[in-house]
Amino acid sequence: MTRRPETLTSLLCAYHRDLGWLFGALGQIDHPEREERLVGKLVLEMLRHFMIEERYLHPIVTQAFRDGVTRVREERVERDHAEEAMRMLERVDLSDQRAEELLHALGQGFERHVEFQEEELFPALERTLSPNQLAALARAAAQTREPGASHSHPMAPGGKSDLLTPREGLVDRIHQALWQQWTAR
């Protein structure tokens, strides 16, 4: 039996599962340092996921559908809400009740994102684009997701802070590091 090539939609669904696992793991950690690192990993992966969608999914959606611009605009609004929640999360202690509320809101927004994409958007894309087109996009997106941004960032105070430490500026540092990675390719 021939293995079906991975498509952009199946790849993004796999990323959704990975992010869902991270959200689930957060509720099971009782060590503050591990929780902090896991939140940093979650933020990194969510931003990476959003950037992949921006680079590979959104252009296709705007071209393939009559209402594509509206669909992408709505996705960007949701992404902006998520990024704002992540920025607010940077400013609170993870043991604070507000952090739990922010993570919960972030998780609920992510669930809505997954539901819309997997139940509406992806099936429509699969009816519109060929498997070869979706496979080519998957290969490009998979290369983009390669790890490499979880090192010390030279812009961090003293150059010693880990990029994944969830403190003020984390979202912006990750954005900068990911965009630098992409533009260097």
Side-chain angles (χ1 to χ4, degrees):
M1 188 166 170
T2 310
R3 184 171 177 237
R4 186 174 172 208
E6 186 166 44
T7 64
L8 179 63
T9 54
S10 67
L11 184 73
L12 289 172
C13 286
Y15 294 170
H16 289 162
R17 299 295 85 71
D18 292 348
L19 286 164
W21 182 89
L22 287 171
F23 274 109
L26 273 173
Q28 314 228 339
I29 297 212
D30 61 354
H31 189 276
E33 189 176 303
R34 288 185 186 140
E35 183 180 32
E36 190 169 291
R37 301 251 338 133
L38 189 58
V39 167
K41 176 74 171 163
L42 175 71
V43 168
L44 170 67
E45 293 302 328
M46 284 192 73
L47 290 172
R48 187 175 279 153
H49 179 75
F50 292 155
M51 288 181 176
I52 288 170
E53 289 180 343
E54 185 71 30
R55 189 170 190 185
Y56 299 101
L57 179 64
H58 293 170
I60 294 299
V61 170
T62 58
Q63 293 171 5
F65 302 108
R66 233 176 291 156
D67 65 342
V69 172
T70 301
R71 289 180 188 213
V72 167
R73 189 176 303 128
E74 290 169 359
E75 288 230 330
R76 286 180 179 147
V77 167
E78 289 294 319
R79 181 202 59 212
D80 291 345
H81 287 301
E83 287 184 11
E84 183 56 31
M86 288 185 273
R87 284 187 179 96
M88 291 169 58
L89 191 58
E90 296 173 346
R91 297 186 289 271
V92 297
D93 188 283
L94 291 179
S95 63
D96 188 317
Q97 177 65 29
R98 182 70 180 133
E100 187 176 321
E101 292 167 3
L102 287 166
L103 284 168
H104 181 72
L106 194 58
Q108 286 185 318
F110 179 70
E111 287 175 13
R112 285 190 305 274
H113 169 84
V114 169
E115 182 179 328
F116 167 72
Q117 284 191 342
E118 293 186 11
E119 292 181 13
E120 294 179 38
L121 185 62
F122 293 172
L125 269 177
E126 289 166 354
R127 288 188 301 269
T128 305
L129 299 176
S130 75
N132 287 341
Q133 289 172 305
L134 290 168
L137 288 165
R139 287 189 297 275
Q143 289 177 348
T144 300
R145 191 177 186 233
E146 291 297 317
S150 59
H151 57 280
S152 293
H153 191 276
M155 300 295 284
K160 295 178 184 174
S161 296
D162 191 318
L163 179 64
L164 297 181
T165 303
R167 294 289 175 242
E168 195 96 21
L170 173 69
V171 173
D172 296 323
R173 287 193 318 270
I174 291 173
H175 264 291
Q176 181 182 17
L178 290 173
W179 283 115
Q180 286 175 350
Q181 242 183 326
W182 283 356
T183 56
R185 290 178 186 226

